[in-house]
Amino acid sequence: MSKTILITGGARSGKSAIAEAQVMNIAPRAVYIATAQVRDDEMADRVAKHQARRGAEWTNVAEPIDLIGALKRTDGQGPRLVDCLTLWLTNLMLGDHDWRGLGRELVAGLAGQSDPVVFVTNEVGGGIVPENALARAFRDAAGELNQWVAAEADEVYLAVAGLPLKVKPND
């Protein structure tokens, strides 16, 4: 069984940079599995900045829907960084996929991975209750998916102002 790490935090909390550092501490080369879908210039700019920050040590895999397949295909190629679970969840929900079934399948498959997996996710439940039904459903789904992955993870970190606060296991 391989190591699973979950890094959560709010928007612009530094969670991606923390995750990248975690992965580079495991091995000098890694696989970056991006779940984002580039639909506009702003997102294209964000993706370009992330890729430039990472450098040539990373193999980039874009997979907005079949995250489970991407993890299976890249196992054995070194540690993987999945950025991020909440974008994957968004893609599933907006595409009318069975996010609960796929989320459970993802979690069940983690124990069979031979290489480490580091997940980035957003902590979305700390604000006010959203006013529309889709936003409430997303907030609830993200909380549920994050809890499933956190329960399976060996380590969980909360990113605060660019700093990792280890919340599991408590040393």
Side-chain angles (χ1 to χ4, degrees):
M1 182 171 110
S2 179
K3 184 178 223 177
T4 300
I5 299 171
L6 178 68
I7 300 174
T8 188
R12 311 305 300 161
S13 62
K15 55 195 175 294
S16 292
I18 291 167
E20 290 164 12
Q22 286 271 351
V23 171
M24 287 290 103
N25 283 335
I26 296 169
R29 297 201 50 81
V31 176
Y32 185 95
I33 302 174
T35 61
Q37 294 186 44
V38 178
R39 297 177 188 224
D40 59 29
D41 290 341
E42 179 190 355
M43 185 56 103
D45 185 54
R46 285 177 180 262
V47 168
K49 285 179 182 174
H50 271 244
Q51 288 177 343
R53 180 179 71 215
R54 286 192 305 273
E57 301 84 31
W58 294 85
T59 299
N60 296 309
V61 175
E63 186 48 70
I65 301 293
D66 188 17
L67 176 55
I68 297 161
L71 286 170
K72 288 177 183 175
R73 288 188 303 275
T74 59
D75 201 16
Q77 297 178 24
R80 278 80 42 82
L81 170 55
V82 176
D83 197 353
C84 79
L85 282 177
T86 41
L87 284 174
W88 179 61
L89 176 63
T90 298
N91 299 336
L92 295 178
M93 290 180 75
L94 292 178
D96 290 325
H97 297 277
D98 175 15
W99 72 265
R100 281 186 178 89
L102 291 168
R104 288 185 183 111
E105 186 180 342
L106 172 71
V107 170
L110 291 174
Q113 295 289 305
S114 60
D115 285 329
V117 181
V118 177
F119 290 101
V120 172
T121 192
N122 290 283
E123 195 59 46
V124 298
I128 62 170
V129 176
E131 77 175 58
N132 71 72
L134 179 59
R136 286 190 301 275
F138 174 77
R139 180 211 49 199
D140 294 350
E144 197 169 345
L145 179 61
N146 287 347
Q147 288 181 52
W148 296 344
V149 176
E152 183 67 23
D154 301 290
E155 297 175 15
V156 177
Y157 295 86
L158 174 64
V160 178
L163 301 172
L165 174 63
K166 191 173 191 179
V167 294
K168 180 187 177 182
N170 291 332
D171 296 322

